[in-house]
Amino acid sequence: MSDLADLLRALAARDGIDAVVLVSADGLPISHVARSACDADAMAALAVTLLRSAARLGETASRGTLSRSVFEYDGGLLVITLLGDGNVLLVVAAAGTDVGPMLYDLRHQAPALSALL
């Protein structure tokens, strides 16, 4: 699990990233890294619940399978990436953070991250 922990720490070390939470398909936090206190349990449960509805919305709109969602709030962004076996990666970014490079990396590294689980 050290490779997985290293990967999460590296992701959390990016500028503007406040927290990274790896979530099981059951909505439980597997691991998390945060710069300040965060309620990883609540975020994990809510992320999985939210993704179920978002996946159904995409299917209803004939958009196919959901792979990633970005939610923009006044205080920043939440990026949720679906990994293999229903696991989820949740990234919490501060307002004004350019998440473009991270989104590119996640698109290409998601299979490797899934393989570590």
Side-chain angles (χ1 to χ4, degrees), residues 17-96:
I17 302 303
D18 293 329
V20 178
V21 183
L22 184 59
V23 181
S24 73
D26 297 329
L28 301 171
I30 296 170
S31 181
H32 76 280
V33 179
R35 292 181 190 218
S36 59
C38 76
D39 190 346
D41 291 325
M43 287 194 300
L46 291 167
V48 169
T49 301
L50 176 64
L51 282 178
R52 288 182 185 131
S53 294
R56 276 186 262 145
L57 176 61
E59 291 166 5
T60 302
S62 300
R63 298 296 102 183
T65 304
L66 179 67
S67 59
R68 185 168 300 99
S69 294
V70 178
F71 298 92
E72 186 173 357
Y73 299 90
D74 292 340
L77 301 168
L78 295 178
V79 178
I80 304 173
T81 300
L82 283 131
L83 303 172
D85 296 329
N87 296 310
V88 173
L89 181 68
L90 171 64
V91 179
V92 181

Side-chain angles (χ1 to χ4, degrees), residues 3-15 17 20 33 35:
D3 290 335
L4 181 61
D6 290 343
L7 200 147
L8 294 179
R9 278 193 294 277
L11 187 56
R14 288 176 178 246
D15 287 337
I17 302 303
V20 178
V33 179
R35 292 181 190 218

